[in-house]
Structure formats: C-alpha cells, structure tokens
Amino acid sequence: MTKKKAVIFDIGGVIITPPQSGIMKYGKSLGLPSNFLEGVMVMGGDDNAFRRMERGELTRTEFCSEYKKEVEKAAKEMNINLLSTFDPDILYENMGASCTVVLPMINAILALRKHGYTICILTNNSIDDTTALNNNSNRSFYSLLHLLKHISHHVIESCRVGIRKPSPDIYQLACDTMGIQPSEAVFLDDIGSNLKSAKKMGIQTIKVVDTTKALQDLKDATGINVFEEQFPPAVSPDKIVHSYVTTKAGHRIHYVDMGEGPVVLCVHGFPECWFAWRYQILPLVLAGYRVIVPDMLGYGDSSSPPEIEKYTQQQLCESIISLLDALSNYYIFGLLMLRIISCIPIGP
C-alpha cells in the first residue's frame, strides 16, 4: 500500500455535526414530511439552486429566492400544504445552529500535522452575502473557517473554485494543491457519493458515521495515534482577522476576534501587543469562547496619541469600553482577563 502523506477532511458531518438535523427540525416545525426540504435540494440535478449555490453561481441571498420557488413547486406537485411562514433564511439559520464542532476531529488534525501530514479541508459551501453582524450562521461558519486555516495547510471551498463534490475535478485539485498523488491521500466524509467518486481516483476513503470508529480507521490508515491529546498552535498574524474601531475620543483601536460563545477579552500589558496572547487564543476558541484581543492605546496598530494624559487608567478603560460598545450588536459578556506584566509565560 502506498504510504500516505496527506489527509483531506470534509467539514459538515465530519469536523462539525451534520447540518441535516437543522433542516429536518425546521421542516418538522412546519408540519412537512420528513426529508422533504432536503429532498428538494437534490431535485433537478446539477442545475438546481442548491448545487448552483455550492458552485458559487448563486449567493446565499439568490439561493434563498430560487430555493423557495423550488420548494413551492415541489409542494404543489406533491400536494403538500406549505405554510406561508416557510422562510429559507430561517432554514439556513437552523442548519448553522444545529452544528457543533467535533473536538476529537480537531485533535486528530493537530496530531497528524504534528507528525508531518499535510492537511486539506475540502468543503461544499456557499458565498454568504448577508451582513455578518445580523447573521449568526454566517459568523459561526466563517469563524470556523478561520480556525481551520490556522490548524490546516489548505482550505478548498467549492463556491470559490466553482467545483463541488463529488466531481473528481475537486479531488484532483486538492491533490495538486498539496503536491501529492491521489493514492497518497486519505479522505473523510459522511456522504457515500462523495467518497465513491474519490475512491475511484485511488484515494483511500473513510465514511464518518461514528466519530470514534472513523478516527480508529484514520489511525490504522496513517499509523498516527490521532487520539493522543494535542495542544493547539499559536495563531498566525496573517491568518487571523484584523479589525478596527474608532472610539468616542477619535482613537483607532485594532483588535483580533475569533470564535463563538461567551466573550473572553484578553488585555495585554507593558510593553506588548495582542500577539502576546497568540498561544491562548485557539485553546479558548476550542473551549467554546469568542476571544477578542485588542492592541491597547499606544501599542501595535492602535492609535498612539502624543499627549501623556491620554494614557491614564480611566482613558485606557474608556477605550476598551468603546471597543465593546462598537461590538454591541452581539450580547457581550464573560470573563475579563488582564495580562499585566510581560514575564508571565505565554507558551503552551
């Protein structure tokens, strides 16, 4: 058997729990037959709204409009009473809300990477043109993508490359991107048709039905103990999202922001910047927190006013309050963590 050099991970149903449960839950709330809404997503072959969205031919907003027409047509043809309250946007939100991160899979990625395996995330997804501040599913998914970019080598999104699974072209693209032959890769997915297409190319496949069983198969395929607990790496400045707000005093505050859940605000001391927290960000994110780390006034990419009176304790606290006020579209609460001196260990 060819020695494996890379592992390809699907997202939905592998790294996060299957979004189908959210579809079924929403359909049930409307009194629709089981699997009706999911069934419409596969009707019409490659030209239906769902598959066009995953190839990037439709944005999320455009998909919702087209998909609603398809659902209404299918309901009429099948003599199903479709309530006027059916809303594809709510369906989309339910899909996102039903998903949680499968931490053992994240740990497996870290273990494989530690032992020299190339990691590729390969997902069928969509271009979300809704406003992130008003769309929790948008923020949650892209927050996950940011996390995955830190712990993997490559992330391939169907909507960005115009190809979706199970097309053999997307698997070939993944192999070419990693510089390997298909026989040198292992692929994990929860959908049989995706695995079947990859297997025909010579990729070793693992169907994820039970996470523990799939990880044991992955251990057998790679020879790596993917169950051994790993510590997440430091975040990379070029991969994390950098944002800015302007305070009431007219100062610009730079901050990084990752994750979902209760907020942990990490404040650096003298003479540092947000980067001092690089080893703590990913562990906190994986523990279920949204982590916000600013550059304090006078540091990093934040404003550095020349007046010494701008750096009083009151002024510094007001700048942090202004940052939180600017992010008040989310309900911010949680633990305030203060890093006061530079000699506190920052490594794992």
Side-chain angles (χ1 to χ4, degrees), residues 63-86:
F63 161 75
C64 286
S65 176
E66 293 298 314
Y67 177 65
K68 186 173 185 179
K69 295 175 185 176
E70 293 178 350
V71 168
E72 291 171 344
K73 180 182 177 183
K76 185 176 181 180
E77 292 174 349
M78 300 170 67
N79 197 29
I80 293 173
N81 181 27
L82 183 66
L83 297 178
S84 59
T85 52
F86 170 69

PDB file of all heavy atoms in Angstrom, residues 63-86:
ATOM      1  N   PHE A  63     -29.779  32.195  -3.654  1.00  0.00           N
ATOM      2  CA  PHE A  63     -30.220  30.815  -3.421  1.00  0.00           C
ATOM      3  C   PHE A  63     -31.558  30.785  -2.698  1.00  0.00           C
ATOM      4  O   PHE A  63     -32.463  30.030  -3.077  1.00  0.00           O
ATOM      5  CB  PHE A  63     -29.181  30.049  -2.601  1.00  0.00           C
ATOM      6  CG  PHE A  63     -29.738  28.820  -1.939  1.00  0.00           C
ATOM      7  CD1 PHE A  63     -30.009  27.677  -2.680  1.00  0.00           C
ATOM      8  CD2 PHE A  63     -30.035  28.807  -0.572  1.00  0.00           C
ATOM      9  CE1 PHE A  63     -30.546  26.541  -2.076  1.00  0.00           C
ATOM     10  CE2 PHE A  63     -30.564  27.682   0.038  1.00  0.00           C
ATOM     11  CZ  PHE A  63     -30.827  26.548  -0.726  1.00  0.00           C
ATOM     12  N   CYS A  64     -31.689  31.577  -1.632  1.00  0.00           N
ATOM     13  CA  CYS A  64     -32.924  31.561  -0.847  1.00  0.00           C
ATOM     14  C   CYS A  64     -34.131  31.889  -1.723  1.00  0.00           C
ATOM     15  O   CYS A  64     -35.193  31.273  -1.589  1.00  0.00           O
ATOM     16  CB  CYS A  64     -32.821  32.547   0.314  1.00  0.00           C
ATOM     17  SG  CYS A  64     -31.737  31.973   1.651  1.00  0.00           S
ATOM     18  N   SER A  65     -33.967  32.825  -2.637  1.00  0.00           N
ATOM     19  CA  SER A  65     -35.060  33.194  -3.538  1.00  0.00           C
ATOM     20  C   SER A  65     -35.401  32.047  -4.489  1.00  0.00           C
ATOM     21  O   SER A  65     -36.575  31.689  -4.671  1.00  0.00           O
ATOM     22  CB  SER A  65     -34.676  34.448  -4.330  1.00  0.00           C
ATOM     23  OG  SER A  65     -35.672  34.775  -5.272  1.00  0.00           O
ATOM     24  N   GLU A  66     -34.374  31.443  -5.096  1.00  0.00           N
ATOM     25  CA  GLU A  66     -34.593  30.355  -6.055  1.00  0.00           C
ATOM     26  C   GLU A  66     -35.082  29.079  -5.360  1.00  0.00           C
ATOM     27  O   GLU A  66     -35.961  28.379  -5.871  1.00  0.00           O
ATOM     28  CB  GLU A  66     -33.294  30.067  -6.818  1.00  0.00           C
ATOM     29  CG  GLU A  66     -32.845  31.198  -7.740  1.00  0.00           C
ATOM     30  CD  GLU A  66     -33.847  31.472  -8.835  1.00  0.00           C
ATOM     31  OE1 GLU A  66     -34.324  30.500  -9.455  1.00  0.00           O
ATOM     32  OE2 GLU A  66     -34.178  32.650  -9.053  1.00  0.00           O
ATOM     33  N   TYR A  67     -34.529  28.804  -4.205  1.00  0.00           N
ATOM     34  CA  TYR A  67     -34.913  27.587  -3.485  1.00  0.00           C
ATOM     35  C   TYR A  67     -36.364  27.666  -3.023  1.00  0.00           C
ATOM     36  O   TYR A  67     -37.094  26.662  -3.053  1.00  0.00           O
ATOM     37  CB  TYR A  67     -33.979  27.383  -2.289  1.00  0.00           C
ATOM     38  CG  TYR A  67     -34.311  26.196  -1.421  1.00  0.00           C
ATOM     39  CD1 TYR A  67     -34.218  24.895  -1.918  1.00  0.00           C
ATOM     40  CD2 TYR A  67     -34.724  26.367  -0.100  1.00  0.00           C
ATOM     41  CE1 TYR A  67     -34.528  23.796  -1.123  1.00  0.00           C
ATOM     42  CE2 TYR A  67     -35.027  25.281   0.703  1.00  0.00           C
ATOM     43  CZ  TYR A  67     -34.924  23.995   0.182  1.00  0.00           C
ATOM     44  OH  TYR A  67     -35.233  22.914   0.971  1.00  0.00           O
ATOM     45  N   LYS A  68     -36.805  28.828  -2.604  1.00  0.00           N
ATOM     46  CA  LYS A  68     -38.198  28.978  -2.178  1.00  0.00           C
ATOM     47  C   LYS A  68     -39.145  28.649  -3.327  1.00  0.00           C
ATOM     48  O   LYS A  68     -40.174  27.974  -3.128  1.00  0.00           O
ATOM     49  CB  LYS A  68     -38.450  30.399  -1.680  1.00  0.00           C
ATOM     50  CG  LYS A  68     -39.842  30.584  -1.088  1.00  0.00           C
ATOM     51  CD  LYS A  68     -40.006  31.950  -0.443  1.00  0.00           C
ATOM     52  CE  LYS A  68     -41.369  32.060   0.241  1.00  0.00           C
ATOM     53  NZ  LYS A  68     -41.562  33.370   0.894  1.00  0.00           N
ATOM     54  N   LYS A  69     -38.789  29.065  -4.550  1.00  0.00           N
ATOM     55  CA  LYS A  69     -39.608  28.741  -5.713  1.00  0.00           C
ATOM     56  C   LYS A  69     -39.637  27.230  -5.946  1.00  0.00           C
ATOM     57  O   LYS A  69     -40.684  26.665  -6.273  1.00  0.00           O
ATOM     58  CB  LYS A  69     -39.060  29.449  -6.954  1.00  0.00           C
ATOM     59  CG  LYS A  69     -39.146  30.970  -6.897  1.00  0.00           C
ATOM     60  CD  LYS A  69     -38.479  31.581  -8.119  1.00  0.00           C
ATOM     61  CE  LYS A  69     -38.446  33.113  -8.030  1.00  0.00           C
ATOM     62  NZ  LYS A  69     -37.716  33.703  -9.181  1.00  0.00           N
ATOM     63  N   GLU A  70     -38.472  26.586  -5.782  1.00  0.00           N
ATOM     64  CA  GLU A  70     -38.401  25.138  -5.980  1.00  0.00           C
ATOM     65  C   GLU A  70     -39.232  24.392  -4.934  1.00  0.00           C
ATOM     66  O   GLU A  70     -39.902  23.400  -5.245  1.00  0.00           O
ATOM     67  CB  GLU A  70     -36.945  24.676  -5.938  1.00  0.00           C
ATOM     68  CG  GLU A  70     -36.109  25.175  -7.108  1.00  0.00           C
ATOM     69  CD  GLU A  70     -34.652  24.743  -7.029  1.00  0.00           C
ATOM     70  OE1 GLU A  70     -34.250  24.219  -5.960  1.00  0.00           O
ATOM     71  OE2 GLU A  70     -33.922  24.938  -8.016  1.00  0.00           O
ATOM     72  N   VAL A  71     -39.180  24.864  -3.680  1.00  0.00           N
ATOM     73  CA  VAL A  71     -39.958  24.240  -2.614  1.00  0.00           C
ATOM     74  C   VAL A  71     -41.449  24.402  -2.882  1.00  0.00           C
ATOM     75  O   VAL A  71     -42.240  23.452  -2.731  1.00  0.00           O
ATOM     76  CB  VAL A  71     -39.582  24.840  -1.243  1.00  0.00           C
ATOM     77  CG1 VAL A  71     -40.583  24.405  -0.162  1.00  0.00           C
ATOM     78  CG2 VAL A  71     -38.172  24.411  -0.838  1.00  0.00           C
ATOM     79  N   GLU A  72     -41.847  25.595  -3.280  1.00  0.00           N
ATOM     80  CA  GLU A  72     -43.267  25.849  -3.569  1.00  0.00           C
ATOM     81  C   GLU A  72     -43.756  24.981  -4.727  1.00  0.00           C
ATOM     82  O   GLU A  72     -44.865  24.432  -4.688  1.00  0.00           O
ATOM     83  CB  GLU A  72     -43.471  27.331  -3.887  1.00  0.00           C
ATOM     84  CG  GLU A  72     -43.286  28.238  -2.669  1.00  0.00           C
ATOM     85  CD  GLU A  72     -43.276  29.719  -3.024  1.00  0.00           C
ATOM     86  OE1 GLU A  72     -43.104  30.029  -4.233  1.00  0.00           O
ATOM     87  OE2 GLU A  72     -43.416  30.546  -2.109  1.00  0.00           O
ATOM     88  N   LYS A  73     -42.920  24.828  -5.760  1.00  0.00           N
ATOM     89  CA  LYS A  73     -43.289  23.997  -6.906  1.00  0.00           C
ATOM     90  C   LYS A  73     -43.418  22.538  -6.506  1.00  0.00           C
ATOM     91  O   LYS A  73     -44.389  21.850  -6.867  1.00  0.00           O
ATOM     92  CB  LYS A  73     -42.239  24.142  -8.010  1.00  0.00           C
ATOM     93  CG  LYS A  73     -42.530  23.309  -9.250  1.00  0.00           C
ATOM     94  CD  LYS A  73     -41.420  23.474 -10.290  1.00  0.00           C
ATOM     95  CE  LYS A  73     -41.690  22.587 -11.501  1.00  0.00           C
ATOM     96  NZ  LYS A  73     -40.583  22.688 -12.496  1.00  0.00           N
ATOM     97  N   ALA A  74     -42.426  22.038  -5.728  1.00  0.00           N
ATOM     98  CA  ALA A  74     -42.460  20.637  -5.297  1.00  0.00           C
ATOM     99  C   ALA A  74     -43.655  20.363  -4.390  1.00  0.00           C
ATOM    100  O   ALA A  74     -44.300  19.319  -4.488  1.00  0.00           O
ATOM    101  CB  ALA A  74     -41.159  20.287  -4.582  1.00  0.00           C
ATOM    102  N   ALA A  75     -43.965  21.297  -3.510  1.00  0.00           N
ATOM    103  CA  ALA A  75     -45.099  21.128  -2.601  1.00  0.00           C
ATOM    104  C   ALA A  75     -46.409  21.047  -3.387  1.00  0.00           C
ATOM    105  O   ALA A  75     -47.281  20.234  -3.069  1.00  0.00           O
ATOM    106  CB  ALA A  75     -45.146  22.281  -1.600  1.00  0.00           C
ATOM    107  N   LYS A  76     -46.516  21.874  -4.410  1.00  0.00           N
ATOM    108  CA  LYS A  76     -47.733  21.867  -5.231  1.00  0.00           C
ATOM    109  C   LYS A  76     -47.867  20.551  -5.983  1.00  0.00           C
ATOM    110  O   LYS A  76     -48.956  19.955  -6.043  1.00  0.00           O
ATOM    111  CB  LYS A  76     -47.698  23.035  -6.205  1.00  0.00           C
ATOM    112  CG  LYS A  76     -48.963  23.195  -7.035  1.00  0.00           C
ATOM    113  CD  LYS A  76     -48.891  24.433  -7.917  1.00  0.00           C
ATOM    114  CE  LYS A  76     -50.173  24.600  -8.730  1.00  0.00           C
ATOM    115  NZ  LYS A  76     -50.112  25.817  -9.599  1.00  0.00           N
ATOM    116  N   GLU A  77     -46.746  20.068  -6.551  1.00  0.00           N
ATOM    117  CA  GLU A  77     -46.770  18.822  -7.317  1.00  0.00           C
ATOM    118  C   GLU A  77     -47.061  17.611  -6.426  1.00  0.00           C
ATOM    119  O   GLU A  77     -47.682  16.640  -6.871  1.00  0.00           O
ATOM    120  CB  GLU A  77     -45.439  18.618  -8.040  1.00  0.00           C
ATOM    121  CG  GLU A  77     -45.192  19.633  -9.153  1.00  0.00           C
ATOM    122  CD  GLU A  77     -43.802  19.498  -9.751  1.00  0.00           C
ATOM    123  OE1 GLU A  77     -42.973  18.768  -9.165  1.00  0.00           O
ATOM    124  OE2 GLU A  77     -43.540  20.130 -10.794  1.00  0.00           O
ATOM    125  N   MET A  78     -46.633  17.669  -5.177  1.00  0.00           N
ATOM    126  CA  MET A  78     -46.809  16.544  -4.250  1.00  0.00           C
ATOM    127  C   MET A  78     -48.024  16.729  -3.341  1.00  0.00           C
ATOM    128  O   MET A  78     -48.228  15.946  -2.422  1.00  0.00           O
ATOM    129  CB  MET A  78     -45.530  16.377  -3.409  1.00  0.00           C
ATOM    130  CG  MET A  78     -44.285  16.095  -4.241  1.00  0.00           C
ATOM    131  SD  MET A  78     -42.725  16.191  -3.309  1.00  0.00           S
ATOM    132  CE  MET A  78     -42.907  14.800  -2.210  1.00  0.00           C
ATOM    133  N   ASN A  79     -48.783  17.791  -3.613  1.00  0.00           N
ATOM    134  CA  ASN A  79     -50.000  18.085  -2.844  1.00  0.00           C
ATOM    135  C   ASN A  79     -49.697  18.197  -1.345  1.00  0.00           C
ATOM    136  O   ASN A  79     -50.397  17.638  -0.495  1.00  0.00           O
ATOM    137  CB  ASN A  79     -51.067  17.001  -3.084  1.00  0.00           C
ATOM    138  CG  ASN A  79     -52.454  17.460  -2.657  1.00  0.00           C
ATOM    139  OD1 ASN A  79     -52.753  18.666  -2.688  1.00  0.00           O
ATOM    140  ND2 ASN A  79     -53.292  16.519  -2.259  1.00  0.00           N
ATOM    141  N   ILE A  80     -48.631  18.955  -1.048  1.00  0.00           N
ATOM    142  CA  ILE A  80     -48.225  19.182   0.340  1.00  0.00           C
ATOM    143  C   ILE A  80     -48.609  20.607   0.727  1.00  0.00           C
ATOM    144  O   ILE A  80     -48.369  21.551  -0.029  1.00  0.00           O
ATOM    145  CB  ILE A  80     -46.695  18.988   0.495  1.00  0.00           C
ATOM    146  CG1 ILE A  80     -46.335  17.522   0.270  1.00  0.00           C
ATOM    147  CG2 ILE A  80     -46.219  19.454   1.868  1.00  0.00           C
ATOM    148  CD1 ILE A  80     -44.839  17.266   0.239  1.00  0.00           C
ATOM    149  N   ASN A  81     -49.204  20.754   1.879  1.00  0.00           N
ATOM    150  CA  ASN A  81     -49.598  22.072   2.371  1.00  0.00           C
ATOM    151  C   ASN A  81     -48.365  22.793   2.912  1.00  0.00           C
ATOM    152  O   ASN A  81     -47.822  22.429   3.950  1.00  0.00           O
ATOM    153  CB  ASN A  81     -50.653  21.944   3.468  1.00  0.00           C
ATOM    154  CG  ASN A  81     -51.105  23.302   3.990  1.00  0.00           C
ATOM    155  OD1 ASN A  81     -51.055  24.297   3.264  1.00  0.00           O
ATOM    156  ND2 ASN A  81     -51.542  23.332   5.235  1.00  0.00           N
ATOM    157  N   LEU A  82     -47.930  23.810   2.185  1.00  0.00           N
ATOM    158  CA  LEU A  82     -46.747  24.578   2.585  1.00  0.00           C
ATOM    159  C   LEU A  82     -47.196  25.858   3.272  1.00  0.00           C
ATOM    160  O   LEU A  82     -47.831  26.718   2.662  1.00  0.00           O
ATOM    161  CB  LEU A  82     -45.889  24.919   1.363  1.00  0.00           C
ATOM    162  CG  LEU A  82     -44.580  25.672   1.638  1.00  0.00           C
ATOM    163  CD1 LEU A  82     -43.611  24.783   2.427  1.00  0.00           C
ATOM    164  CD2 LEU A  82     -43.940  26.129   0.334  1.00  0.00           C
ATOM    165  N   LEU A  83     -46.875  25.976   4.536  1.00  0.00           N
ATOM    166  CA  LEU A  83     -47.292  27.152   5.290  1.00  0.00           C
ATOM    167  C   LEU A  83     -46.643  28.409   4.733  1.00  0.00           C
ATOM    168  O   LEU A  83     -45.503  28.390   4.253  1.00  0.00           O
ATOM    169  CB  LEU A  83     -46.915  26.996   6.769  1.00  0.00           C
ATOM    170  CG  LEU A  83     -47.579  25.837   7.525  1.00  0.00           C
ATOM    171  CD1 LEU A  83     -47.051  25.793   8.960  1.00  0.00           C
ATOM    172  CD2 LEU A  83     -49.086  25.981   7.517  1.00  0.00           C
ATOM    173  N   SER A  84     -47.365  29.509   4.803  1.00  0.00           N
ATOM    174  CA  SER A  84     -46.842  30.784   4.294  1.00  0.00           C
ATOM    175  C   SER A  84     -45.646  31.267   5.109  1.00  0.00           C
ATOM    176  O   SER A  84     -44.925  32.168   4.697  1.00  0.00           O
ATOM    177  CB  SER A  84     -47.943  31.850   4.323  1.00  0.00           C
ATOM    178  OG  SER A  84     -48.430  32.031   5.650  1.00  0.00           O
ATOM    179  N   THR A  85     -45.446  30.655   6.290  1.00  0.00           N
ATOM    180  CA  THR A  85     -44.320  31.058   7.146  1.00  0.00           C
ATOM    181  C   THR A  85     -42.992  30.442   6.709  1.00  0.00           C
ATOM    182  O   THR A  85     -41.950  30.741   7.299  1.00  0.00           O
ATOM    183  CB  THR A  85     -44.591  30.643   8.601  1.00  0.00           C
ATOM    184  OG1 THR A  85     -44.930  29.257   8.641  1.00  0.00           O
ATOM    185  CG2 THR A  85     -45.734  31.467   9.185  1.00  0.00           C
ATOM    186  N   PHE A  86     -43.006  29.563   5.676  1.00  0.00           N
ATOM    187  CA  PHE A  86     -41.743  28.964   5.236  1.00  0.00           C
ATOM    188  C   PHE A  86     -40.785  30.057   4.783  1.00  0.00           C
ATOM    189  O   PHE A  86     -41.120  30.915   3.959  1.00  0.00           O
ATOM    190  CB  PHE A  86     -41.975  27.995   4.075  1.00  0.00           C
ATOM    191  CG  PHE A  86     -40.689  27.541   3.424  1.00  0.00           C
ATOM    192  CD1 PHE A  86     -39.820  26.717   4.104  1.00  0.00           C
ATOM    193  CD2 PHE A  86     -40.340  27.987   2.149  1.00  0.00           C
ATOM    194  CE1 PHE A  86     -38.622  26.316   3.531  1.00  0.00           C
ATOM    195  CE2 PHE A  86     -39.152  27.594   1.562  1.00  0.00           C
ATOM    196  CZ  PHE A  86     -38.283  26.749   2.250  1.00  0.00           C
TER     197      PHE A  86
END
